[in-house]
Amino acid sequence: MSVRVRRVYDPPEPGDGVRVLVDRLWPRGMAKDAAHVDEWPKGLTPSTALRRWYHAGEGSYAEFAERYEAELDAPSAAELLAHVRELARQGDVTLLTASKSPGESQAAVLLRLLGEK
């Protein structure tokens, strides 16, 4: 089973498996039926404060990743992460983000953590 990251704006592919949106906000200009999102665990996404801090350019990706991982230690977020990990054990999972740089987003952090199973 595999976990991968894709932009939500890319068309769905047969190998996507369960499509999980990992952004707190719905992607701009994307109709809900066109996104083909299976799950949207908002509690797994970075907090509004962390998201705003990172997008304002106030810190590095490494610092963002560290702060986000700390947020994921909260019981509710840890439970959602465990759920996505279980989905990945059962089949393919695609983490979806609207980020123009998915490799430097919360999706990349989640991909790494899910890979550490």
Side-chain angles (χ1 to χ4, degrees):
M1 309 317 154
S2 70
V3 180
R4 66 180 179 161
V5 172
R6 297 189 62 221
R7 292 198 71 221
V8 69
Y9 299 108
D10 296 336
E13 294 181 355
D16 282 351
V18 178
R19 292 170 53 92
V20 181
L21 181 63
V22 294
D23 291 347
R24 184 163 293 265
L25 303 176
W26 188 260
R28 214 172 259 182
M30 174 65 68
K32 292 199 178 189
D33 60 336
H36 300 278
V37 169
D38 297 308
E39 298 202 17
W40 186 16
K42 291 182 189 176
L44 185 62
T45 65
S47 66
T48 299
L50 179 58
R51 181 180 52 79
R52 288 181 178 163
W53 171 84
Y54 184 52
H55 291 295
E58 296 180 23
S60 67
Y61 171 71
E63 188 174 357
F64 165 78
E66 185 177 313
R67 290 181 181 198
Y68 180 42
E69 285 186 51
E71 288 186 353
L72 291 172
D73 286 338
S76 59
E79 185 176 315
L80 290 168
L81 183 59
H83 171 69
V84 175
R85 186 173 280 124
E86 183 58 33
L87 290 174
R89 285 189 183 113
Q90 296 172 11
D92 296 329
V93 172
T94 299
L95 304 176
L96 301 169
T97 182
S99 174
K100 290 181 182 178
S101 301
E104 291 189 346
S105 71
Q106 66 277 5
V109 174
L110 291 170
L111 180 66
R112 181 175 47 78
L113 293 175
L114 291 168
E116 294 174 356
K117 299 178 192 179

